[in-house]
Amino acid sequence: MKKHDNIYANPLEKVADFTFDESVVDVFPDMIQRSVPGYETIIHTIGELAKSWVSEGSNVYDLGCSLGAASLSVARATQDRKCNIVGIDSSGAMVERCKRVVQAFTLNNPIIIEQRLAQDVTIDNASMVVMNFTLQFIPPSDREALLKTIFDGLNPGGILVLSEKIRHPTLSGNEILIDLHHQFKRDNGYSELEVSQKRAALEKVMLTDTFNEHEQRLKSVGFSDVVMWYKCYNFTSMIAVKP
Ligand code: GEK
């Protein structure tokens, strides 16, 4: 049973910056599903992509794995071949819970969960790297170097699946997408107060880029093609291909 997210249901005197602590871990599956349009579709599609792109004997990395949803989707999709799946997350509370979650499944390929900053990870012999709504939490000044590390560690023909909340380049256009997203959250049972307190909590923690910024940065580190395969409001998922 998913625990209901009501972290921001009561008025707070001061809204602290959002962190992935124990209270967030407790309600995370409910929170992400009610907050990110298309989350289940994206998790499912990561598995579909793994079927086509994960090669025999290679490694798959899930950076910012939270409770392992993307890692598990890859593991379910790759039962017919050998690969290692490595989930990395910087939050100790997430990692502890994620280890328990993945242990509950019996799958052919191992899922190794490690507490680490994505910026410190070593990527090697990878056919697929997933960053499902993680890069947006990484300091902007670290983003290009991390993408270069990923590019260098991917085998030729490998892919990065990068899902991000993006910013529309015009203020008025961005407001249209933000309003639609807030409507989506209200439809999923979040109150006006919850929506506005969460927005304040994320303001300094989640720093979004435009699609053009993502595309240019991915190409500048060497990716040959950047394919936006999903978009709903300001939520997107891209596939970047290493030639
Ligand atoms: C999913 N991918 O369910 N290094 C590693 N992890 C980090 C870092 C960092 N520098 N900064 C934040 N995180 C998941 C959902 S959630 C997205 C990803 C969201 C971790 C953080 O601890 C959290 O678990 C995750 O990135 C972001 O498919 O909550 O909107």
Side-chain angles (χ1 to χ4, degrees):
M1 251 286 280
K2 275 192 206 128
K3 273 201 206 158
H4 191 72
D5 168 26
N6 55 13
I7 291 177
Y8 294 103
N10 298 314
L12 298 165
E13 217 163 275
K14 188 177 175 299
V15 180
D17 284 350
F18 188 81
T19 53
F20 291 93
D21 60 14
E22 193 68 42
S23 65
V24 168
V25 169
D26 256 352
V27 298
F28 188 75
D30 179 68
M31 171 186 284
I32 197 148
Q33 211 172 353
R34 290 203 287 141
S35 306
V36 175
Y39 176 73
E40 287 200 339
T41 300
I42 295 170
I43 291 295
H44 172 78
T45 305
I46 287 169
E48 294 302 302
L49 288 165
K51 283 182 191 163
S52 306
W53 293 89
V54 173
S55 56
E56 178 75 30
S58 69
N59 298 324
V60 178
Y61 297 85
D62 177 10
L63 307 181
C65 61
S66 296
L67 299 184
S71 292
L72 284 164
S73 185
V74 170
R76 284 193 198 96
T78 54
Q79 304 257 54
D80 59 345
R81 69 204 87 165
K82 275 209 166 62
C83 64
N84 293 306
I85 301 158
V86 182
I88 301 285
D89 204 286
S90 57
S91 155
M94 266 310 173
V95 164
E96 283 321 301
R97 188 72 59 92
C98 184
K99 284 183 178 166
R100 283 199 266 144
V101 170
V102 300
Q103 266 165 22
F105 293 86
T106 313
L107 294 154
N108 291 344
N109 287 310
I111 304 179
I112 302 140
I113 303 297
E114 290 175 3
Q115 185 183 359
R116 197 183 300 279
L117 284 176
Q119 296 93 308
D120 295 339
V121 79
T122 304
I123 307 275
D124 171 47
N125 183 28
S127 55
M128 182 170 174
V129 177
V130 177
M131 270 202 289
N132 201 34
F133 301 105
T134 305
L135 193 65
Q136 61 200 22
F137 291 109
I138 289 177
S141 55
D142 290 351
R143 292 179 189 178
E144 182 157 350
L146 170 57
L147 292 171
K148 177 83 171 87
T149 301
I150 293 170
F151 180 82
D152 290 344
L154 275 165
N155 295 331
I159 57 166
L160 164 66
V161 182
L162 178 64
S163 308
E164 285 276 288
K165 185 175 186 185
I166 57 170
R167 195 180 69 252
H168 187 79
T170 64
L171 266 181
S172 55
N174 203 38
E175 277 305 312
I176 295 173
L177 299 178
I178 288 171
D179 286 349
L180 283 166
H181 178 227
H182 287 174
Q183 186 57 45
F184 168 88
K185 290 188 76 167
R186 284 193 292 270
D187 288 348
N188 282 333
Y190 283 114
S191 67
E192 207 61 62
L193 177 71
E194 287 177 294
V195 170
S196 70
Q197 292 194 138
K198 178 78 179 278
R199 188 181 188 177
L202 284 172
E203 204 174 7
K204 293 199 215 88
V205 178
M206 188 177 72
L207 303 170
T208 53
D209 296 317
T210 65
F211 175 71
N212 277 348
E213 286 164 347
H214 281 294
E215 188 182 36
Q216 276 170 22
R217 192 169 43 211
L218 287 163
K219 290 202 167 159
S220 78
V221 301
F223 288 99
S224 56
D225 208 355
V226 179
V227 183
M228 187 197 278
W229 70 268
Y230 177 87
K231 184 172 193 291
C232 180
Y233 314 144
N234 35 14
F235 291 80
T236 178
S237 187
M238 305 159 235
I239 300 158
V241 185
K242 176 165 176 170

